[in-house]
């Protein structure tokens, strides 16, 4: 009876399906007619029906697709990649979480509302569903029906409306020239690629990986916590009314589970598998692999062995060549030979849960080959490091203070000033953190940190730092002849050991030539190899869900790092910091430690433990360790606050030690620039490049230490954490003074730039018609303009109202009697800039031997301009404005008195340059004071 009933139900269902199919097929041409002349894509014989049935007509690049019969109940994931035709081809170009909705004879691609949800009572769910609705992305006609499956013109969708998927970066004006490059269909995904001419005519391949995302895979999301640095997937739950519950944040992580939960150490059910793309040079592959596998040690701590597996894709052997890097089923380390210094570690996640689905790391070659950044690109970026939105707003209103303008070529300053002024009214004065354009992942440092539902790493600048430091190493390597030193050490270690006459005879024999040190790309392999491994480890860390940790480099003392007992150990608490190359100048206090990180650090073990432990009950205890010194954490948004340790490009617990070491290297390089760095037969333009690289290192040291003035350490501890620290701890006054003294010494003192007439006579440029920038560059190095621009920018670092506001606030924040105050900061800078007014030698000065040099006169005039602006109460709306104005006015009066006395006493012995300069100074001060008096009276 049951069998008959079941059979009857199947018959009824078949009739119903046939009737529905007839209705669906009305007014549509027959399927067999539509696909006539097409071939069906069968990627794997014997496999069940592919996710989308694909038909292609290669001769004219036409493609049809039939959606699954149950398409209306599915969520789809579109992953886009530009796989050829541009410098960053292969970089993930975004993704979409969508579904299809039918409107009669058209299909609409819909983006569900997932930003605002309600898991509360029925009333709140109903209201949220009514207010926060889904969005139509695009629509396309249905060509015919293949049973219950709509058939659509796939090339019209993916080529004709490519800008809907790739954003404004892709504009196709000739879609009829599109050709099909990839068409693979599998049960869970399809891989489709079209070669199209872009707007400029250049051919690009647009690759789409389309798959389904189940609503519930069994994966359990993990709550995010500010004490550990993970990218997050978040939404607002309007069904909850507690402030700390309504914003829900999940960490982004892979779904890793033990294959055997009963084992203390078990392999995973499904490991994270990376393939190193065949384009990676063979000489680098083992180092890339080594860096990836560093992370397995952290996973072993949570009971998972071999959590990450790595395989080489190889063109000669054919190993894994059938796998497409763009396919969301595979994770690739992609190598781009594009002469760019960039590395990026993006990932794609399930936007409902934060489960990482796919990751493709991009590594490029330019940072190894050379450092191509020019002075005018490098220095402004370094100077603006740490500027807050408030400081950026100040610069928009006071362009004369802006390093981007001051450090630009004079011919470009007006254009740059106009561009900056145009952004002044944008939110947060167009601060990059809040205004990243996420249309194309990887074109901005802050892609993925804001403006997205599912946050991910969009761009990483570590390779840019390594490119600069690698160039500095090359300079140092060439001058010091480190290769010969390393070879000698190798020879000494290989000499045989003996005794008696044989040993004596051996000693009398001439020593053989030292064995050559193994090199890669003209650099010692033990230098560049670990550096590649570190970079790969850092970027893979991003794909595991980890954010930057810019406080990690402050874990250990500089001398401790560079000691015999520390070699082979991680010298920072995390690889997720921007850690530069550790170069030590010959010093009695320390030895040359490891060039770079050779393993993951304590913080890396801790953050992986929080994200991937199998024991949810252990999470509170894991988090409570936050106050341990080696677990310090500060990420991208912390770099725009008062914490001087939350900075890119710094190093060591007290970065002043590191900065002083860098200045030793700067001095050494400059002393040997002409004799040893430029070799016989080379252009003297190399001397100019070398000097500007040293100036970049000097600027980095200045910027790093200027951040300590007015600084406050920021801790993420929660109440009740073990050994919990106060969230805000002012930097000790003496550390601030030491930092201020350092900045003054290497910025304002003329001899800190190491320039001599001999050097300046050799700092020229090469002229090439195929290099437009060189054609416009002046052969003589503009000494006064460059130094004045740099000093002007340093004045901005120290005297901008935000920094001085930090100093003023710290006077209330600090409990100690010893506090760095506004008067002390101003007087320290003032005294250093006007030293020539004290203890003047009683002698005759001349224009060739002036009382005040041209470099110092420029500095004094720039400083006076800043002081006058600070004396004006309308220069800022901060609470510190009035006391700052009063102090600046007092400094002006004191300065005028000193200048007047100096001119009166030494008028006859002064050179004309100095006399005219000081007379101008006193006139400017008097006019400023007169304006203030008039304004006050009015």
């Amino acid at each position: 009876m049951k069998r008959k009933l079941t059979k009857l139900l199947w018959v009824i269902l078949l009739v119903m399906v046939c009737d529905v199919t007839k209705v669906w097929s009305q007014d549509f041409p027959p399927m067999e007619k539509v696909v006539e002349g097409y071939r069906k894509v069968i990627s794997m014989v014997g496999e069940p029906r592919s996710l989308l049935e694909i038909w292609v007509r290669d001769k004219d690049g036409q493609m049809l697709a039939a959606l699954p019969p149950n398409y209306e109940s599915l969520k789809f994931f579109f992953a886009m990649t530009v796989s050829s035709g541009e410098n960053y081809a292969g970089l993930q170009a975004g993704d979409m979480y969508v579904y299809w909705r039918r409107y009669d004879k058209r299909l609409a691609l819909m983006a569900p509302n997932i930003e605002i949800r309600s898991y509360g009572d029925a009333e709140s769910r109903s209201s949220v569903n009514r207010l926060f609705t889904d969005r139509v992305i695009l629509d396309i006609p249905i060509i015919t029906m293949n049973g219950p499956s709509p058939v659509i013109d796939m090339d019209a969708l993916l080529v004709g409306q490519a800008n809907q998927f790739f954003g404004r970066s892709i504009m196709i004006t000739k879609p009829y020239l599109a050709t099909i490059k990839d068409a693979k269909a599998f049960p869970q995904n399809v891989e489709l690629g079209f070669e199209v001419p872009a707007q400029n005519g250049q051919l690009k391949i647009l690759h789409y990986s389309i798959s389904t995302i189940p609503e519930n895979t069994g994966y359990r999301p993990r709550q995010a916590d500010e004490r550990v640095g993970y990218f997050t997937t978040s939404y607002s739950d309007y069904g909850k009314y507690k402030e700390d519950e309504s914003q829900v944040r999940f960490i982004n992580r892979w779904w890793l589970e033990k294959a055997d939960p009963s084992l203390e150490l078990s392999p995973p059910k499904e490991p994270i598998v990376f393939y190193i793309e065949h384009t990676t040079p063979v000489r680098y592959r083992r180092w890339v692999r080594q860096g990836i596998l560093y992370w397995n040690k952290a996973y072993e701590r949570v009971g998972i062995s071999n959590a990450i597996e790595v395989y080489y894709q190889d063109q000669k052997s054919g190993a894994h060549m059938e796998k497409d890097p763009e396919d969301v089923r595979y994770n690739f380390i992609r190598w781009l030979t594009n002469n760019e210094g960039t590395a990026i570690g993006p990932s794609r996640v399930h936007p409902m849960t934060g489960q990482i689905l796919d990751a493709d790391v991009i590594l490029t070659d330019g940072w190894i080959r050379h450092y191509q950044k020019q002075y005018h690109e490098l220095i402004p970026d370094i100077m603006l490091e740490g500027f807050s939105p408030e400081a950026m707003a100040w610069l928009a209103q006071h362009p004369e203070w802006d390093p981007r303008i001051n450090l630009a070529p004079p011919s470009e300053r007006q254009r740059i000033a106009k561009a900056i002024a145009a952004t002044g009214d944008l939110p947060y004065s167009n601060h990059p953190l809040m205004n990243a354009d996420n249309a194309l992942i990887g074109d901005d440092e802050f892609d993925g940190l804001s403006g997205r539902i599912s946050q991910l790493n969009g761009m990483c600048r570590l390779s840019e730092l390594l490119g600069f430091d690698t160039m500095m190493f090359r300079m140092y390597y060439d001058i010091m002849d480190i290769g010969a030193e390393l070879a000698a050490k190798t020879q000494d270690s290989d000499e045989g050991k003996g005794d008696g006459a044989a040993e004596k005879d051996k000693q009398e024999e001439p020593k053989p030539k030292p064995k050559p040190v193994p090199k890669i790309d003209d650099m010692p392999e033990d230098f560049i190899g670990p550096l590649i491994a570190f970079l790969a480890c850092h970027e893979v860390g991003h794909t595991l869900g980890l954010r930057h940790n810019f406080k990690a480099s402050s874990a250990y003392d500089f001398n401790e790092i560079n000691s015999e007992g520390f070699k082979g150990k991680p010298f920072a608490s995390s690889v997720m910091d921007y850690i530069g190359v550790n170069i030590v100048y010959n010093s009695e206090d320390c030895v040359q430690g490891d060039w770079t990180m050779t393993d993951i650090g304590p913080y890396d073990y801790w953050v992986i433990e929080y994200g991937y432990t199998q024991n949810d009950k252990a999470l509170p205890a894991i988090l409570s360790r936050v106050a341990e010194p080696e677990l310090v954490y500060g990420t991208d948004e912390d770099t725009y606050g008062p914490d001087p340790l939350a900075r890119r490009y710094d190093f060591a617990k007290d970065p002043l030690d590191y900065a002083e070491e860098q200045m030793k290297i700067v001095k050494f390089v400059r002393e040997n620039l002409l004799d040893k760095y430029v070799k016989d037969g080379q252009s003297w333009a190399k001397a100019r490049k070398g000097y500007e690289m040293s100036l970049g290192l000097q600027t980095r040291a200045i910027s790093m230490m200027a951040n300590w003035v007015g600084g406050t350490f920021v801790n993420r501890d929660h109440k009740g954490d073990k050994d919990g620290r106060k969230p805000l701890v002012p930097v000790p006054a003496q550390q601030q003074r030491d930092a201020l003294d350092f900045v003054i010494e290497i910025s304002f003192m003329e001899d800190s730039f190491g320039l001599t007439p001999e050097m300046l006579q050799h700092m020229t440029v090469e002229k090439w018609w195929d290099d437009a920038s060189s054609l416009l560059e002046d052969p003589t190095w503009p000494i006064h303009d460059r130094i004045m621009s740099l000093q002007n920018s340093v004045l901005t670092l120290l005297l901008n109202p935000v920094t001085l506001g930090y100093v003023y606030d710290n006077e209330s924040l600090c409990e100690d009697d010893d506090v760095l105050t506004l008067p002390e900061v101003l007087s320290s800078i003032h005294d250093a800039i006007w030293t020539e007014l004290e203890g003047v030698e009683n002698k005759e000065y001349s224009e060739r031997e002036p009382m005040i040099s041209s470099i110092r006169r420029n500095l004094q005039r720039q400083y006076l301009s800043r002081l006058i602006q600070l004396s004006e109460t309308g220069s800022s709306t901060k609470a510190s404005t009035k006391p700052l104005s009063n102090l600046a006015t007092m400094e002006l009066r004191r300065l005028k008195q000193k200048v007047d006395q100096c001119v009166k006493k030494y008028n006859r012995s002064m050179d004309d340059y100095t006399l005219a300069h000081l007379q101008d100074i006193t006139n400017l001060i008097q006019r400023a004071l007169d304006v203030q008096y008039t304004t006050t009276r009015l």
Side-chain angles (χ1 to χ4, degrees), residues 713-726:
F713 299 127
V714 180
N715 300 311
R716 292 174 174 253
D717 308 34
H718 286 188
K719 185 176 181 179
D721 285 337
K722 183 181 178 182
D723 301 321
R725 300 159 296 188
K726 295 177 182 178

Side-chain angles (χ1 to χ4, degrees), residues 39-48 50 52 54 182-187 189-192 324 329:
R39 64 176 175 86
K40 188 173 184 180
V41 175
I42 305 294
S43 298
M44 300 181 70
V45 178
E47 288 289 331
S50 58
L52 303 180
I54 303 293
D182 294 295
K184 299 178 182 179
F186 306 103
N189 64 299
V190 296
E191 303 300 316
L192 310 174
D324 295 322
R329 296 175 298 171

Side-chain angles (χ1 to χ4, degrees), residues 755-773:
L755 288 165
T756 64
E758 176 72 8
M759 184 182 293
L760 289 167
Q761 290 169 15
H762 289 84
M763 286 169 54
T764 187
V765 295
E766 290 182 302
K767 299 283 187 179
W768 295 101
W769 273 104
D770 56 2
D771 182 5
S773 62

